[in-house]
Amino acid sequence: MPYKSAFSKKISTLRKWAKKTHSLTVVFDTGQADRYLPEERMIVINDNQKDEHKCYALLHELGHHRNRERRTGDYRKRFNLLSKAEQTGRPIRSHAYRIQFIEEEIKAWRNGEKIAEMLDLQIDKEKYDNYGSRWVMSYIDWASNRQWNHDTL
């Protein structure tokens, strides 16, 4: 089957690996935000972006899954405030929560890079880092807002 781009082949590889190795379903949906849904064992990727960004977003969302894997450490201990917020369904109004949120996001980007290396997917590290940094900076902007009426992004 021909691929429309080098990135579409990488996306296909990642999608198959996620399903086979982690029982994760990857869904591409127009207009949806990229996100990892751990309870549903699903990753949603916005289909309204170029293949390169879809690939980077998928690596990042797989990185979130890796943050929660038992073999990579105990998520509830390492990200205790995030875990508590997920259990209650509400963000915690503290700077510590916001910093932990950023920490988990950065770790997910690094994990995505490790997954690409493990699967021998050649990605442009500088482009990947720049793409991820734009997202991380948006979280930093949110976290630095001193008003609590911006509890979510």
Side-chain angles (χ1 to χ4, degrees):
M1 171 174 117
Y3 294 97
K4 65 180 184 175
S5 74
F7 285 100
S8 63
K9 183 175 182 178
K10 292 172 186 168
I11 290 167
S12 177
T13 298
L14 288 167
R15 195 176 195 179
K16 289 174 187 173
W17 176 80
K19 187 65 167 178
K20 182 179 179 185
T21 309
H22 298 280
S23 301
L24 293 171
T25 300
V26 178
V27 176
F28 294 88
D29 195 0
T30 303
Q32 292 291 316
D34 302 328
R35 64 190 183 278
Y36 168 58
L37 304 166
E39 298 300 319
E40 292 85 354
R41 301 200 60 77
M42 181 184 295
I43 292 173
V44 178
I45 301 296
N46 183 343
D47 209 24
N48 279 345
Q49 48 188 332
K50 61 185 184 176
D51 285 350
E52 180 179 15
H53 292 172
K54 287 181 207 176
C55 181
Y56 296 162
L58 180 51
L59 284 166
H60 171 70
E61 298 307 330
L62 287 166
H64 282 297
H65 174 72
R66 192 167 188 181
N67 282 346
R68 293 167 181 267
E69 283 183 308
R70 289 184 187 195
R71 65 184 175 84
T72 58
D74 189 353
Y75 177 84
R76 288 188 191 118
K77 286 182 183 175
R78 187 179 326 144
F79 301 111
N80 63 317
L81 297 175
L82 296 182
S83 183
K84 183 177 177 183
E86 290 168 6
Q87 290 170 351
T88 63
R90 293 188 333 258
I92 296 171
R93 291 182 168 200
S94 76
H95 293 108
Y97 167 82
R98 290 179 178 195
I99 295 300
Q100 207 170 85
F101 184 95
I102 294 168
E103 179 186 0
E104 196 273 342
E105 288 293 334
I106 291 170
K107 184 149 182 60
W109 284 107
R110 293 298 141 242
N111 284 341
E113 190 176 345
K114 290 176 185 175
I115 291 166
E117 289 172 8
M118 180 184 66
L119 296 176
D120 200 27
L121 300 177
Q122 302 300 312
I123 61 169
D124 184 319
K125 183 173 171 10
E126 186 174 345
K127 287 183 178 181
Y128 179 80
D129 287 345
N130 285 335
Y131 182 76
S133 294
R134 286 197 310 265
W135 284 104
V136 170
M137 288 306 296
S138 73
Y139 305 142
I140 290 170
D141 290 343
W142 161 77
S144 65
N145 186 327
R146 302 283 186 207
Q147 297 179 11
W148 297 112
N149 59 345
H150 296 97
D151 284 339
T152 57
L153 299 173

